[in-house]
Amino acid sequence: LNAQVIEGKEIARSIRNRVRETVETLFAERSPRLVSLLIGGEDPSSKVYLANQQKTAAKAGIDYRRVELPDQVSEREALEVIAGLNGDPQTQGVIIQRPLPEHLDPLGLIRAVHPDKDVEGLHPSNLGAIAHGRPRLVPCTAEAAILLFRSLDRPVKGLEVVVVGHSEIVGKPIALLLVHELATVTICHIGTRDLASHTRRADLLFVATGVPGLIRGEDVKPGAVVIDIGINAVEVDEGGKKRTRIVGDVDFESASRMADAITPVPGGVGPVTTAMLMENTLKAALFQRGE
Ligand code: NAD
């Protein structure tokens, strides 16, 4: 292993502390409230996220609440609940947990959240603000991934950046944010013909596909910075016992021999993402106060 490992836990801790200090100074009367809307019960995959959100909120001084709706809730009823949260002066941030039951359109619900309470940064007006180069609330994972790179204190201008994955929560906002800083950005996805020919050119490589081990050492440019956003649960055989392990989209072993710096999974982008959710809640609270 040659690469510097960019530890997310440290960065997450400093974000949480900063949020808590600001909350204590500016919101001494009442902490900003983050409401997590959970429809149809806890999915096994979101269980860990929810537990992490709750713990992180407590450490950041954010008042975290859950609102639960039954599986069969109609879209109209769900929209009414969201409208209620939009109008509730006690609620500063709203996050809609996914996966949602089949009959609900995620985009329909996301669009219903007031842009100033959209701490996930997914409302068209928040994504549009990024395209305009005036980000307000930015998707937490995209922001976290960029922040891990920034911790190295290197210039972005002129970098060859390759983003693998073009989702609204990760790939697209990362690309838009960095293009504004004059990086040359390539977005790759399932339709990309020769993925490795792109990733091998990248000075800075972001990977968010949900495919464990998609990127291997030979796909990485020597000396590159690799930010692995993937979180995948895989079954591994440990001395005859089957166990579930969390791995990224990058094969850490081989990639860390090529890269100059790399994020681990777990302990990289994940904890910083949850910390950014708290920072976005604080930002949202400030917007709502007109600051
Ligand atoms: P998504 O399913 O919305 O998008 C996947 C993207 O990967 C698409 O652009 C698709 O075209 C591309 N892709 C899939 N297979 C590919 C292949 N073989 N070659 C090239 N491109 C391919 O995913 P998402 O919601 O952006 O999440 C991606 C990953 O990031 C998942 O592992 C998810 O668990 C993880 N994630 C992590 C965090 C975090 O906090 N760290 C947050 C959100 C998502």
Side-chain angles (χ1 to χ4, degrees):
L1 184 122
N2 301 316
Q4 174 189 343
V5 179
I6 311 171
E7 296 292 350
K9 285 184 191 156
E10 272 307 305
I11 298 170
R13 181 175 312 138
S14 71
I15 297 169
R16 282 191 320 252
N17 289 343
R18 201 175 61 216
V19 170
R20 200 190 52 241
E21 282 159 21
T22 313
V23 164
E24 282 166 4
T25 335
L26 299 182
F27 294 88
E29 316 259 284
R30 188 180 66 78
S31 296
R33 178 176 297 169
L34 171 60
V35 171
S36 170
L37 184 59
L38 184 63
I39 305 181
E42 222 168 86
D43 181 86
S45 67
S46 55
K47 208 171 176 152
V48 179
Y49 290 120
L50 285 164
N52 283 341
Q53 284 172 11
Q54 186 144 19
K55 264 192 279 177
T56 307
K59 289 181 190 161
I62 298 292
D63 174 16
Y64 181 84
R65 307 281 171 106
R66 273 196 201 193
V67 168
E68 300 190 17
L69 297 177
D71 199 20
Q72 320 76 3
V73 73
S74 70
E75 179 164 66
R76 196 176 51 81
E77 287 168 299
L79 291 173
E80 272 167 18
V81 170
I82 293 171
L85 294 169
N86 285 342
D88 173 18
Q90 308 280 337
T91 298
Q92 275 60 57
V94 177
I95 171 166
I96 297 169
Q97 297 297 336
R98 286 172 298 277
L100 287 166
E102 284 281 319
H103 68 282
L104 295 174
D105 167 28
L107 212 54
L109 298 191
I110 285 162
R111 293 175 79 105
V113 176
H114 190 285
D116 282 356
K117 296 195 176 185
D118 167 40
V119 289
E120 292 189 271
L122 292 176
H123 189 282
S125 96
N126 282 322
L127 285 176
I130 299 175
H132 283 174
R134 297 198 191 150
R136 266 170 76 82
L137 291 167
V138 172
C140 307
T141 312
E143 205 163 24
I146 292 176
L147 208 62
L148 288 174
F149 172 71
R150 288 206 207 285
S151 73
L152 300 172
D153 209 10
R154 297 182 193 182
V156 170
K157 188 175 171 183
L159 282 186
E160 286 290 334
V161 174
V162 173
V163 182
V164 189
H166 76 307
S167 70
E168 278 71 40
I169 66 164
V170 198
K172 281 182 201 164
I174 289 176
L176 283 171
L177 287 163
L178 294 182
V179 100
H180 264 285
E181 296 185 39
L182 301 183
T184 304
V185 182
T186 306
I187 306 179
C188 299
H189 41 65
I190 194 73
T192 300
R193 256 184 279 149
D194 182 359
L195 182 60
S197 71
H198 296 282
T199 60
R200 276 191 210 122
R201 287 189 302 101
D203 303 311
L204 172 55
L205 177 61
F206 293 91
V207 191
T209 64
V211 183
L214 177 69
I215 301 297
R216 304 187 50 82
E218 66 250 35
D219 309 321
V220 174
K221 178 180 174 179
V225 176
V226 179
I227 310 291
D228 187 356
I229 295 147
I231 299 180
N232 310 293
V234 293
E235 287 258 301
V236 289
D237 202 313
E238 271 176 17
K241 272 196 197 147
K242 283 220 186 308
R243 284 195 44 187
T244 306
R245 264 187 53 199
I246 300 295
V247 300
D249 293 352
V250 175
D251 178 56
F252 187 84
E253 265 292 311
S254 58
S256 58
R257 272 183 252 121
M258 292 297 248
D260 184 43
I262 187 167
T263 61
V265 178
V269 176
V272 180
T273 297
T274 320
M276 289 312 308
L277 183 61
M278 305 311 148
E279 182 160 301
N280 275 356
T281 305
L282 170 61
K283 267 193 205 164
L286 290 167
F287 289 149
Q288 287 155 51
R289 263 200 346 201
E291 286 169 43

